[in-house]
Amino acid sequence: MKNNKTILSLAVALGVASLSSSVHAAGFQLAEYSATGLGRAYAGEAAMADNASAQWRNPAMLTYLKGTQVSVGAIYVNPNLDVEGTVSYLDYSDFQSKQVGTASDDFALDAVIPNLYVSHQLNEQLFLGFALGTNYGMETKLDDNFAASHFGNEAMIKTIEANLNLAYQLNEAWSFGGGLRFISGEGHFGATAPGHLPSTPTQVSATTVIPAAGTTLKYMEGEDTAWGWQVGTAWQINQHHRIGFAYKSEVKLSLDGYAEGVGFGLMPGQKNDGNMKLPLPATLELASYHQLTDALAVHASFNWTDWSAFEKLEANLVGYDTPQEVKIENWEDNYRFAIGATYQAMPKLALRTGIAYDTSAVSDKNRTITIPETDRTWLSVGASYEFTKKFTLDGGFTYIIAKDASIKEARSTDYKSDVLAESIGGTFVGQTSGNVWLIGVQANYRF
């Protein structure tokens, strides 16, 4: 049982730690909630009220939406994420130190992110809203021959969120809003023994067996639902200037499911029930909107995400008295700065643009292969066309430049999970690079 626990801890550390992003937002956070905001790099969102989607970032903005409005759309995300480097390892066939170059190209998968929003004015002061979208999600799969697959080779997080929001206009200057959030999440994580290991299991000590190349070290999947909340306010300074503030609570998921693989001491086909806690962090936004002329408006945002709450991952598995350490993460709070502009080129045509800088949620020390977090720069353009007084179509396009960054695993002798991973498959030293293309469309209708 001691030997099984050693391999279990290693396997969980290797595979379940595979949470990663498609580099279009910090960690595994998604910013893409509307095509309207996409065209301005989501600058000023907590102070904007273009259509029913405004409630997603600040429920108080419902008070600026007259009558009943519906917005529906989707954003296509095309991440191009690469990693390359060298694995230095102990060859257990002759117990000599060796190196092998390895790379995995375009291993973050494409995605389509849909959304739906409805707003309804109950009376002159009270407004109701419903929103359906997502704040978190990603999916990655490294190449089958990637030589550092012992640090994780596949991961997926997918969430769906529904909001019920209520807003109240106190007077011409102040509006307040809040909402209840229901989140459904699922995920799977896995790791395999790299190809440079022997083709059969190798016993290297009385208590440690190195699995054969290609062996599934572990696979774990689960799902959960949870509740959260959000609040917001808007201050209409005067006819041309507005400030908005919004806050979303942390949501704690416990992904309940099963584990399988030799890393859990299980025979092929065997499964073991378990769960893992996954925090979806709190966020805050401070935004402003300024109408400079009849045709030109500028807007800006400051965003904070409490990624420092993501300190470690632990698995709770049937048959084990204590939680099993998965991975020490030690993430950092993330900050985002954005500025954008809207220009009313013609009575029916509005043009948008924006630029944003998104800081990484991990330090250089804590960057990992499957979480290749790095700073990002957003460059965005978009437009709206009013076909009728009731129907408007929006489009947005963004190119995200991810800063090249170095990666070293194992990261520290203080991280038990890293040390165990290194002892089986060796050390990886390399770098990550990438970019992301985003394109979105959205239809808005006013009743």
PDB file of all heavy atoms in Angstrom, residues 291-328:
ATOM      1  N   GLN A 291     -18.412  60.590 -22.747  1.00  0.00           N
ATOM      2  CA  GLN A 291     -18.874  61.035 -24.056  1.00  0.00           C
ATOM      3  C   GLN A 291     -18.195  62.372 -24.353  1.00  0.00           C
ATOM      4  O   GLN A 291     -18.591  63.430 -23.859  1.00  0.00           O
ATOM      5  CB  GLN A 291     -20.396  61.195 -24.064  1.00  0.00           C
ATOM      6  CG  GLN A 291     -20.989  61.405 -25.443  1.00  0.00           C
ATOM      7  CD  GLN A 291     -20.983  60.142 -26.289  1.00  0.00           C
ATOM      8  OE1 GLN A 291     -21.337  59.064 -25.796  1.00  0.00           O
ATOM      9  NE2 GLN A 291     -20.580  60.256 -27.548  1.00  0.00           N
ATOM     10  N   LEU A 292     -17.148  62.335 -25.177  1.00  0.00           N
ATOM     11  CA  LEU A 292     -16.351  63.534 -25.423  1.00  0.00           C
ATOM     12  C   LEU A 292     -17.020  64.474 -26.415  1.00  0.00           C
ATOM     13  O   LEU A 292     -16.968  65.704 -26.256  1.00  0.00           O
ATOM     14  CB  LEU A 292     -14.957  63.141 -25.919  1.00  0.00           C
ATOM     15  CG  LEU A 292     -14.135  62.261 -24.969  1.00  0.00           C
ATOM     16  CD1 LEU A 292     -12.759  62.006 -25.551  1.00  0.00           C
ATOM     17  CD2 LEU A 292     -14.026  62.890 -23.587  1.00  0.00           C
ATOM     18  N   THR A 293     -17.592  63.914 -27.460  1.00  0.00           N
ATOM     19  CA  THR A 293     -18.343  64.700 -28.446  1.00  0.00           C
ATOM     20  C   THR A 293     -19.608  63.915 -28.785  1.00  0.00           C
ATOM     21  O   THR A 293     -19.819  62.795 -28.297  1.00  0.00           O
ATOM     22  CB  THR A 293     -17.516  64.926 -29.728  1.00  0.00           C
ATOM     23  OG1 THR A 293     -17.367  63.676 -30.426  1.00  0.00           O
ATOM     24  CG2 THR A 293     -16.133  65.493 -29.411  1.00  0.00           C
ATOM     25  N   ASP A 294     -20.417  64.477 -29.660  1.00  0.00           N
ATOM     26  CA  ASP A 294     -21.629  63.750 -30.064  1.00  0.00           C
ATOM     27  C   ASP A 294     -21.289  62.424 -30.732  1.00  0.00           C
ATOM     28  O   ASP A 294     -22.075  61.474 -30.655  1.00  0.00           O
ATOM     29  CB  ASP A 294     -22.455  64.607 -31.029  1.00  0.00           C
ATOM     30  CG  ASP A 294     -23.093  65.797 -30.332  1.00  0.00           C
ATOM     31  OD1 ASP A 294     -23.190  65.763 -29.088  1.00  0.00           O
ATOM     32  OD2 ASP A 294     -23.482  66.749 -31.036  1.00  0.00           O
ATOM     33  N   ALA A 295     -20.123  62.332 -31.346  1.00  0.00           N
ATOM     34  CA  ALA A 295     -19.759  61.125 -32.092  1.00  0.00           C
ATOM     35  C   ALA A 295     -18.757  60.230 -31.370  1.00  0.00           C
ATOM     36  O   ALA A 295     -18.700  59.025 -31.636  1.00  0.00           O
ATOM     37  CB  ALA A 295     -19.190  61.512 -33.460  1.00  0.00           C
ATOM     38  N   LEU A 296     -17.966  60.792 -30.468  1.00  0.00           N
ATOM     39  CA  LEU A 296     -16.848  60.040 -29.887  1.00  0.00           C
ATOM     40  C   LEU A 296     -16.991  59.859 -28.383  1.00  0.00           C
ATOM     41  O   LEU A 296     -17.225  60.821 -27.645  1.00  0.00           O
ATOM     42  CB  LEU A 296     -15.531  60.762 -30.176  1.00  0.00           C
ATOM     43  CG  LEU A 296     -14.264  60.104 -29.613  1.00  0.00           C
ATOM     44  CD1 LEU A 296     -14.034  58.734 -30.254  1.00  0.00           C
ATOM     45  CD2 LEU A 296     -13.051  61.013 -29.827  1.00  0.00           C
ATOM     46  N   ALA A 297     -16.833  58.601 -27.930  1.00  0.00           N
ATOM     47  CA  ALA A 297     -16.816  58.265 -26.503  1.00  0.00           C
ATOM     48  C   ALA A 297     -15.581  57.427 -26.209  1.00  0.00           C
ATOM     49  O   ALA A 297     -15.141  56.627 -27.047  1.00  0.00           O
ATOM     50  CB  ALA A 297     -18.073  57.502 -26.106  1.00  0.00           C
ATOM     51  N   VAL A 298     -15.012  57.603 -25.028  1.00  0.00           N
ATOM     52  CA  VAL A 298     -13.898  56.767 -24.581  1.00  0.00           C
ATOM     53  C   VAL A 298     -14.300  56.084 -23.285  1.00  0.00           C
ATOM     54  O   VAL A 298     -15.129  56.592 -22.522  1.00  0.00           O
ATOM     55  CB  VAL A 298     -12.599  57.579 -24.388  1.00  0.00           C
ATOM     56  CG1 VAL A 298     -12.137  58.169 -25.700  1.00  0.00           C
ATOM     57  CG2 VAL A 298     -12.796  58.664 -23.336  1.00  0.00           C
ATOM     58  N   HIS A 299     -13.704  54.927 -23.037  1.00  0.00           N
ATOM     59  CA  HIS A 299     -14.047  54.154 -21.849  1.00  0.00           C
ATOM     60  C   HIS A 299     -12.824  53.383 -21.383  1.00  0.00           C
ATOM     61  O   HIS A 299     -11.939  53.038 -22.174  1.00  0.00           O
ATOM     62  CB  HIS A 299     -15.210  53.200 -22.134  1.00  0.00           C
ATOM     63  CG  HIS A 299     -15.514  53.031 -23.579  1.00  0.00           C
ATOM     64  ND1 HIS A 299     -14.838  52.159 -24.403  1.00  0.00           N
ATOM     65  CD2 HIS A 299     -16.418  53.660 -24.370  1.00  0.00           C
ATOM     66  CE1 HIS A 299     -15.306  52.225 -25.622  1.00  0.00           C
ATOM     67  NE2 HIS A 299     -16.262  53.142 -25.656  1.00  0.00           N
ATOM     68  N   ALA A 300     -12.764  53.104 -20.084  1.00  0.00           N
ATOM     69  CA  ALA A 300     -11.589  52.447 -19.516  1.00  0.00           C
ATOM     70  C   ALA A 300     -12.006  51.533 -18.378  1.00  0.00           C
ATOM     71  O   ALA A 300     -13.061  51.710 -17.763  1.00  0.00           O
ATOM     72  CB  ALA A 300     -10.594  53.486 -19.019  1.00  0.00           C
ATOM     73  N   SER A 301     -11.152  50.535 -18.110  1.00  0.00           N
ATOM     74  CA  SER A 301     -11.431  49.562 -17.043  1.00  0.00           C
ATOM     75  C   SER A 301     -10.172  49.181 -16.292  1.00  0.00           C
ATOM     76  O   SER A 301      -9.080  49.117 -16.866  1.00  0.00           O
ATOM     77  CB  SER A 301     -12.032  48.271 -17.619  1.00  0.00           C
ATOM     78  OG  SER A 301     -13.373  48.425 -17.963  1.00  0.00           O
ATOM     79  N   PHE A 302     -10.363  48.900 -15.011  1.00  0.00           N
ATOM     80  CA  PHE A 302      -9.362  48.222 -14.190  1.00  0.00           C
ATOM     81  C   PHE A 302     -10.037  46.993 -13.597  1.00  0.00           C
ATOM     82  O   PHE A 302     -11.096  47.089 -12.979  1.00  0.00           O
ATOM     83  CB  PHE A 302      -8.856  49.129 -13.070  1.00  0.00           C
ATOM     84  CG  PHE A 302      -8.079  48.390 -12.014  1.00  0.00           C
ATOM     85  CD1 PHE A 302      -6.766  48.005 -12.243  1.00  0.00           C
ATOM     86  CD2 PHE A 302      -8.674  48.046 -10.803  1.00  0.00           C
ATOM     87  CE1 PHE A 302      -6.058  47.296 -11.272  1.00  0.00           C
ATOM     88  CE2 PHE A 302      -7.969  47.356  -9.825  1.00  0.00           C
ATOM     89  CZ  PHE A 302      -6.660  46.983 -10.066  1.00  0.00           C
ATOM     90  N   ASN A 303      -9.433  45.810 -13.812  1.00  0.00           N
ATOM     91  CA  ASN A 303      -9.992  44.552 -13.309  1.00  0.00           C
ATOM     92  C   ASN A 303      -8.996  43.859 -12.390  1.00  0.00           C
ATOM     93  O   ASN A 303      -7.781  43.886 -12.627  1.00  0.00           O
ATOM     94  CB  ASN A 303     -10.340  43.608 -14.454  1.00  0.00           C
ATOM     95  CG  ASN A 303     -11.422  44.155 -15.355  1.00  0.00           C
ATOM     96  OD1 ASN A 303     -11.155  44.996 -16.211  1.00  0.00           O
ATOM     97  ND2 ASN A 303     -12.642  43.688 -15.184  1.00  0.00           N
ATOM     98  N   TRP A 304      -9.536  43.229 -11.363  1.00  0.00           N
ATOM     99  CA  TRP A 304      -8.739  42.431 -10.418  1.00  0.00           C
ATOM    100  C   TRP A 304      -9.397  41.072 -10.249  1.00  0.00           C
ATOM    101  O   TRP A 304     -10.622  40.966 -10.140  1.00  0.00           O
ATOM    102  CB  TRP A 304      -8.666  43.137  -9.073  1.00  0.00           C
ATOM    103  CG  TRP A 304      -8.213  42.270  -7.920  1.00  0.00           C
ATOM    104  CD1 TRP A 304      -6.941  41.941  -7.592  1.00  0.00           C
ATOM    105  CD2 TRP A 304      -9.063  41.625  -6.940  1.00  0.00           C
ATOM    106  NE1 TRP A 304      -6.925  41.146  -6.467  1.00  0.00           N
ATOM    107  CE2 TRP A 304      -8.218  40.935  -6.056  1.00  0.00           C
ATOM    108  CE3 TRP A 304     -10.446  41.578  -6.755  1.00  0.00           C
ATOM    109  CZ2 TRP A 304      -8.714  40.192  -4.984  1.00  0.00           C
ATOM    110  CZ3 TRP A 304     -10.933  40.848  -5.689  1.00  0.00           C
ATOM    111  CH2 TRP A 304     -10.080  40.159  -4.819  1.00  0.00           C
ATOM    112  N   THR A 305      -8.571  40.021 -10.269  1.00  0.00           N
ATOM    113  CA  THR A 305      -9.060  38.664 -10.029  1.00  0.00           C
ATOM    114  C   THR A 305      -8.244  38.038  -8.907  1.00  0.00           C
ATOM    115  O   THR A 305      -7.010  38.069  -8.935  1.00  0.00           O
ATOM    116  CB  THR A 305      -8.945  37.796 -11.295  1.00  0.00           C
ATOM    117  OG1 THR A 305      -9.689  38.409 -12.353  1.00  0.00           O
ATOM    118  CG2 THR A 305      -9.500  36.397 -11.050  1.00  0.00           C
ATOM    119  N   ASP A 306      -8.927  37.459  -7.943  1.00  0.00           N
ATOM    120  CA  ASP A 306      -8.293  36.939  -6.727  1.00  0.00           C
ATOM    121  C   ASP A 306      -7.701  35.545  -6.952  1.00  0.00           C
ATOM    122  O   ASP A 306      -8.040  34.588  -6.249  1.00  0.00           O
ATOM    123  CB  ASP A 306      -9.329  36.909  -5.599  1.00  0.00           C
ATOM    124  CG  ASP A 306      -8.712  36.530  -4.261  1.00  0.00           C
ATOM    125  OD1 ASP A 306      -7.494  36.734  -4.084  1.00  0.00           O
ATOM    126  OD2 ASP A 306      -9.450  36.012  -3.393  1.00  0.00           O
ATOM    127  N   TRP A 307      -6.762  35.448  -7.887  1.00  0.00           N
ATOM    128  CA  TRP A 307      -6.149  34.147  -8.159  1.00  0.00           C
ATOM    129  C   TRP A 307      -5.239  33.683  -7.032  1.00  0.00           C
ATOM    130  O   TRP A 307      -4.830  32.510  -7.003  1.00  0.00           O
ATOM    131  CB  TRP A 307      -5.371  34.200  -9.469  1.00  0.00           C
ATOM    132  CG  TRP A 307      -6.210  34.015 -10.698  1.00  0.00           C
ATOM    133  CD1 TRP A 307      -6.353  34.891 -11.720  1.00  0.00           C
ATOM    134  CD2 TRP A 307      -7.019  32.875 -11.040  1.00  0.00           C
ATOM    135  NE1 TRP A 307      -7.205  34.382 -12.688  1.00  0.00           N
ATOM    136  CE2 TRP A 307      -7.626  33.142 -12.279  1.00  0.00           C
ATOM    137  CE3 TRP A 307      -7.301  31.664 -10.410  1.00  0.00           C
ATOM    138  CZ2 TRP A 307      -8.480  32.251 -12.911  1.00  0.00           C
ATOM    139  CZ3 TRP A 307      -8.161  30.763 -11.044  1.00  0.00           C
ATOM    140  CH2 TRP A 307      -8.733  31.061 -12.273  1.00  0.00           C
ATOM    141  N   SER A 308      -4.887  34.557  -6.095  1.00  0.00           N
ATOM    142  CA  SER A 308      -4.066  34.116  -4.965  1.00  0.00           C
ATOM    143  C   SER A 308      -4.813  33.122  -4.082  1.00  0.00           C
ATOM    144  O   SER A 308      -4.204  32.440  -3.241  1.00  0.00           O
ATOM    145  CB  SER A 308      -3.602  35.312  -4.129  1.00  0.00           C
ATOM    146  OG  SER A 308      -4.711  36.042  -3.632  1.00  0.00           O
ATOM    147  N   ALA A 309      -6.133  33.009  -4.267  1.00  0.00           N
ATOM    148  CA  ALA A 309      -6.912  32.002  -3.544  1.00  0.00           C
ATOM    149  C   ALA A 309      -6.604  30.591  -4.056  1.00  0.00           C
ATOM    150  O   ALA A 309      -6.937  29.604  -3.400  1.00  0.00           O
ATOM    151  CB  ALA A 309      -8.403  32.286  -3.690  1.00  0.00           C
ATOM    152  N   PHE A 310      -5.973  30.501  -5.206  1.00  0.00           N
ATOM    153  CA  PHE A 310      -5.658  29.205  -5.806  1.00  0.00           C
ATOM    154  C   PHE A 310      -4.238  28.808  -5.388  1.00  0.00           C
ATOM    155  O   PHE A 310      -3.280  28.972  -6.113  1.00  0.00           O
ATOM    156  CB  PHE A 310      -5.779  29.319  -7.321  1.00  0.00           C
ATOM    157  CG  PHE A 310      -5.776  28.002  -8.045  1.00  0.00           C
ATOM    158  CD1 PHE A 310      -6.411  26.891  -7.523  1.00  0.00           C
ATOM    159  CD2 PHE A 310      -5.154  27.890  -9.275  1.00  0.00           C
ATOM    160  CE1 PHE A 310      -6.419  25.689  -8.201  1.00  0.00           C
ATOM    161  CE2 PHE A 310      -5.159  26.691  -9.975  1.00  0.00           C
ATOM    162  CZ  PHE A 310      -5.786  25.587  -9.434  1.00  0.00           C
ATOM    163  N   GLU A 311      -4.127  28.270  -4.166  1.00  0.00           N
ATOM    164  CA  GLU A 311      -2.827  27.957  -3.591  1.00  0.00           C
ATOM    165  C   GLU A 311      -2.365  26.537  -3.905  1.00  0.00           C
ATOM    166  O   GLU A 311      -1.179  26.293  -4.106  1.00  0.00           O
ATOM    167  CB  GLU A 311      -2.865  28.146  -2.080  1.00  0.00           C
ATOM    168  CG  GLU A 311      -3.154  29.581  -1.644  1.00  0.00           C
ATOM    169  CD  GLU A 311      -3.235  29.727  -0.145  1.00  0.00           C
ATOM    170  OE1 GLU A 311      -3.150  28.686   0.562  1.00  0.00           O
ATOM    171  OE2 GLU A 311      -3.368  30.862   0.328  1.00  0.00           O
ATOM    172  N   LYS A 312      -3.302  25.583  -3.918  1.00  0.00           N
ATOM    173  CA  LYS A 312      -2.920  24.201  -4.140  1.00  0.00           C
ATOM    174  C   LYS A 312      -4.141  23.387  -4.554  1.00  0.00           C
ATOM    175  O   LYS A 312      -5.284  23.813  -4.375  1.00  0.00           O
ATOM    176  CB  LYS A 312      -2.314  23.586  -2.883  1.00  0.00           C
ATOM    177  CG  LYS A 312      -3.246  23.583  -1.678  1.00  0.00           C
ATOM    178  CD  LYS A 312      -2.547  23.020  -0.447  1.00  0.00           C
ATOM    179  CE  LYS A 312      -3.478  23.083   0.781  1.00  0.00           C
ATOM    180  NZ  LYS A 312      -2.822  22.540   1.978  1.00  0.00           N
ATOM    181  N   LEU A 313      -3.879  22.234  -5.112  1.00  0.00           N
ATOM    182  CA  LEU A 313      -4.924  21.278  -5.453  1.00  0.00           C
ATOM    183  C   LEU A 313      -4.725  20.018  -4.615  1.00  0.00           C
ATOM    184  O   LEU A 313      -3.605  19.530  -4.465  1.00  0.00           O
ATOM    185  CB  LEU A 313      -4.864  20.913  -6.940  1.00  0.00           C
ATOM    186  CG  LEU A 313      -5.267  22.007  -7.929  1.00  0.00           C
ATOM    187  CD1 LEU A 313      -4.926  21.585  -9.345  1.00  0.00           C
ATOM    188  CD2 LEU A 313      -6.744  22.329  -7.808  1.00  0.00           C
ATOM    189  N   GLU A 314      -5.822  19.529  -4.070  1.00  0.00           N
ATOM    190  CA  GLU A 314      -5.793  18.298  -3.284  1.00  0.00           C
ATOM    191  C   GLU A 314      -6.930  17.387  -3.731  1.00  0.00           C
ATOM    192  O   GLU A 314      -8.035  17.869  -4.014  1.00  0.00           O
ATOM    193  CB  GLU A 314      -5.930  18.584  -1.796  1.00  0.00           C
ATOM    194  CG  GLU A 314      -4.743  19.297  -1.192  1.00  0.00           C
ATOM    195  CD  GLU A 314      -4.916  19.539   0.294  1.00  0.00           C
ATOM    196  OE1 GLU A 314      -6.067  19.710   0.734  1.00  0.00           O
ATOM    197  OE2 GLU A 314      -3.893  19.552   1.008  1.00  0.00           O
ATOM    198  N   ALA A 315      -6.652  16.088  -3.780  1.00  0.00           N
ATOM    199  CA  ALA A 315      -7.662  15.107  -4.157  1.00  0.00           C
ATOM    200  C   ALA A 315      -8.106  14.327  -2.926  1.00  0.00           C
ATOM    201  O   ALA A 315      -7.287  13.915  -2.101  1.00  0.00           O
ATOM    202  CB  ALA A 315      -7.098  14.146  -5.200  1.00  0.00           C
ATOM    203  N   ASN A 316      -9.405  14.140  -2.800  1.00  0.00           N
ATOM    204  CA  ASN A 316      -9.982  13.331  -1.725  1.00  0.00           C
ATOM    205  C   ASN A 316     -10.512  12.037  -2.344  1.00  0.00           C
ATOM    206  O   ASN A 316     -11.503  12.057  -3.066  1.00  0.00           O
ATOM    207  CB  ASN A 316     -11.118  14.094  -1.037  1.00  0.00           C
ATOM    208  CG  ASN A 316     -10.641  15.412  -0.460  1.00  0.00           C
ATOM    209  OD1 ASN A 316      -9.912  15.443   0.523  1.00  0.00           O
ATOM    210  ND2 ASN A 316     -11.039  16.511  -1.093  1.00  0.00           N
ATOM    211  N   LEU A 317      -9.833  10.932  -2.096  1.00  0.00           N
ATOM    212  CA  LEU A 317     -10.150   9.662  -2.732  1.00  0.00           C
ATOM    213  C   LEU A 317     -10.572   8.624  -1.704  1.00  0.00           C
ATOM    214  O   LEU A 317     -10.063   8.593  -0.578  1.00  0.00           O
ATOM    215  CB  LEU A 317      -8.931   9.149  -3.514  1.00  0.00           C
ATOM    216  CG  LEU A 317      -8.387  10.089  -4.598  1.00  0.00           C
ATOM    217  CD1 LEU A 317      -7.134   9.514  -5.207  1.00  0.00           C
ATOM    218  CD2 LEU A 317      -9.446  10.348  -5.665  1.00  0.00           C
ATOM    219  N   VAL A 318     -11.513   7.786  -2.089  1.00  0.00           N
ATOM    220  CA  VAL A 318     -11.987   6.712  -1.221  1.00  0.00           C
ATOM    221  C   VAL A 318     -10.829   5.771  -0.898  1.00  0.00           C
ATOM    222  O   VAL A 318     -10.068   5.364  -1.787  1.00  0.00           O
ATOM    223  CB  VAL A 318     -13.133   5.936  -1.902  1.00  0.00           C
ATOM    224  CG1 VAL A 318     -13.521   4.718  -1.072  1.00  0.00           C
ATOM    225  CG2 VAL A 318     -14.337   6.848  -2.114  1.00  0.00           C
ATOM    226  N   GLY A 319     -10.674   5.450   0.382  1.00  0.00           N
ATOM    227  CA  GLY A 319      -9.613   4.554   0.802  1.00  0.00           C
ATOM    228  C   GLY A 319      -8.390   5.259   1.360  1.00  0.00           C
ATOM    229  O   GLY A 319      -7.467   4.601   1.840  1.00  0.00           O
ATOM    230  N   TYR A 320      -8.385   6.594   1.311  1.00  0.00           N
ATOM    231  CA  TYR A 320      -7.269   7.368   1.842  1.00  0.00           C
ATOM    232  C   TYR A 320      -7.774   8.250   2.975  1.00  0.00           C
ATOM    233  O   TYR A 320      -8.792   8.928   2.832  1.00  0.00           O
ATOM    234  CB  TYR A 320      -6.617   8.212   0.747  1.00  0.00           C
ATOM    235  CG  TYR A 320      -5.937   7.367  -0.298  1.00  0.00           C
ATOM    236  CD1 TYR A 320      -6.660   6.849  -1.375  1.00  0.00           C
ATOM    237  CD2 TYR A 320      -4.581   7.056  -0.187  1.00  0.00           C
ATOM    238  CE1 TYR A 320      -6.048   6.055  -2.318  1.00  0.00           C
ATOM    239  CE2 TYR A 320      -3.964   6.261  -1.136  1.00  0.00           C
ATOM    240  CZ  TYR A 320      -4.697   5.760  -2.195  1.00  0.00           C
ATOM    241  OH  TYR A 320      -4.095   4.967  -3.128  1.00  0.00           O
ATOM    242  N   ASP A 321      -7.052   8.229   4.096  1.00  0.00           N
ATOM    243  CA  ASP A 321      -7.496   8.926   5.295  1.00  0.00           C
ATOM    244  C   ASP A 321      -7.336  10.441   5.194  1.00  0.00           C
ATOM    245  O   ASP A 321      -8.064  11.186   5.852  1.00  0.00           O
ATOM    246  CB  ASP A 321      -6.721   8.418   6.516  1.00  0.00           C
ATOM    247  CG  ASP A 321      -6.992   6.944   6.794  1.00  0.00           C
ATOM    248  OD1 ASP A 321      -8.101   6.478   6.452  1.00  0.00           O
ATOM    249  OD2 ASP A 321      -6.101   6.278   7.340  1.00  0.00           O
ATOM    250  N   THR A 322      -6.372  10.901   4.411  1.00  0.00           N
ATOM    251  CA  THR A 322      -6.111  12.330   4.298  1.00  0.00           C
ATOM    252  C   THR A 322      -6.109  12.744   2.830  1.00  0.00           C
ATOM    253  O   THR A 322      -5.888  11.911   1.939  1.00  0.00           O
ATOM    254  CB  THR A 322      -4.754  12.689   4.927  1.00  0.00           C
ATOM    255  OG1 THR A 322      -3.720  11.949   4.257  1.00  0.00           O
ATOM    256  CG2 THR A 322      -4.749  12.351   6.413  1.00  0.00           C
ATOM    257  N   PRO A 323      -6.346  14.028   2.556  1.00  0.00           N
ATOM    258  CA  PRO A 323      -6.275  14.499   1.161  1.00  0.00           C
ATOM    259  C   PRO A 323      -4.888  14.269   0.575  1.00  0.00           C
ATOM    260  O   PRO A 323      -3.869  14.385   1.268  1.00  0.00           O
ATOM    261  CB  PRO A 323      -6.579  15.995   1.284  1.00  0.00           C
ATOM    262  CG  PRO A 323      -7.318  16.142   2.580  1.00  0.00           C
ATOM    263  CD  PRO A 323      -6.741  15.102   3.492  1.00  0.00           C
ATOM    264  N   GLN A 324      -4.859  13.928  -0.705  1.00  0.00           N
ATOM    265  CA  GLN A 324      -3.603  13.700  -1.398  1.00  0.00           C
ATOM    266  C   GLN A 324      -3.172  14.993  -2.094  1.00  0.00           C
ATOM    267  O   GLN A 324      -3.946  15.588  -2.839  1.00  0.00           O
ATOM    268  CB  GLN A 324      -3.768  12.586  -2.431  1.00  0.00           C
ATOM    269  CG  GLN A 324      -4.252  11.263  -1.845  1.00  0.00           C
ATOM    270  CD  GLN A 324      -3.264  10.704  -0.844  1.00  0.00           C
ATOM    271  OE1 GLN A 324      -2.112  10.438  -1.179  1.00  0.00           O
ATOM    272  NE2 GLN A 324      -3.712  10.519   0.390  1.00  0.00           N
ATOM    273  N   GLU A 325      -1.957  15.415  -1.834  1.00  0.00           N
ATOM    274  CA  GLU A 325      -1.453  16.628  -2.490  1.00  0.00           C
ATOM    275  C   GLU A 325      -1.392  16.425  -3.989  1.00  0.00           C
ATOM    276  O   GLU A 325      -0.817  15.467  -4.491  1.00  0.00           O
ATOM    277  CB  GLU A 325      -0.060  16.974  -1.971  1.00  0.00           C
ATOM    278  CG  GLU A 325       0.539  18.218  -2.628  1.00  0.00           C
ATOM    279  CD  GLU A 325       1.949  18.510  -2.165  1.00  0.00           C
ATOM    280  OE1 GLU A 325       2.147  18.635  -0.940  1.00  0.00           O
ATOM    281  OE2 GLU A 325       2.839  18.587  -3.030  1.00  0.00           O
ATOM    282  N   VAL A 326      -2.011  17.329  -4.703  1.00  0.00           N
ATOM    283  CA  VAL A 326      -2.012  17.260  -6.158  1.00  0.00           C
ATOM    284  C   VAL A 326      -0.900  18.137  -6.715  1.00  0.00           C
ATOM    285  O   VAL A 326      -0.031  17.680  -7.442  1.00  0.00           O
ATOM    286  CB  VAL A 326      -3.377  17.715  -6.720  1.00  0.00           C
ATOM    287  CG1 VAL A 326      -3.343  17.769  -8.227  1.00  0.00           C
ATOM    288  CG2 VAL A 326      -4.470  16.770  -6.236  1.00  0.00           C
ATOM    289  N   LYS A 327      -0.967  19.403  -6.389  1.00  0.00           N
ATOM    290  CA  LYS A 327       0.030  20.328  -6.919  1.00  0.00           C
ATOM    291  C   LYS A 327       0.020  21.604  -6.082  1.00  0.00           C
ATOM    292  O   LYS A 327      -1.045  22.122  -5.747  1.00  0.00           O
ATOM    293  CB  LYS A 327      -0.314  20.685  -8.366  1.00  0.00           C
ATOM    294  CG  LYS A 327       0.748  21.494  -9.106  1.00  0.00           C
ATOM    295  CD  LYS A 327       1.730  20.596  -9.818  1.00  0.00           C
ATOM    296  CE  LYS A 327       2.607  21.365 -10.795  1.00  0.00           C
ATOM    297  NZ  LYS A 327       3.509  20.467 -11.530  1.00  0.00           N
ATOM    298  N   ILE A 328       1.200  22.082  -5.731  1.00  0.00           N
ATOM    299  CA  ILE A 328       1.324  23.411  -5.140  1.00  0.00           C
ATOM    300  C   ILE A 328       1.260  24.414  -6.293  1.00  0.00           C
ATOM    301  O   ILE A 328       2.060  24.335  -7.228  1.00  0.00           O
ATOM    302  CB  ILE A 328       2.636  23.559  -4.362  1.00  0.00           C
ATOM    303  CG1 ILE A 328       2.707  22.512  -3.239  1.00  0.00           C
ATOM    304  CG2 ILE A 328       2.754  24.970  -3.798  1.00  0.00           C
ATOM    305  CD1 ILE A 328       1.617  22.641  -2.210  1.00  0.00           C
TER     306      ILE A 328
END
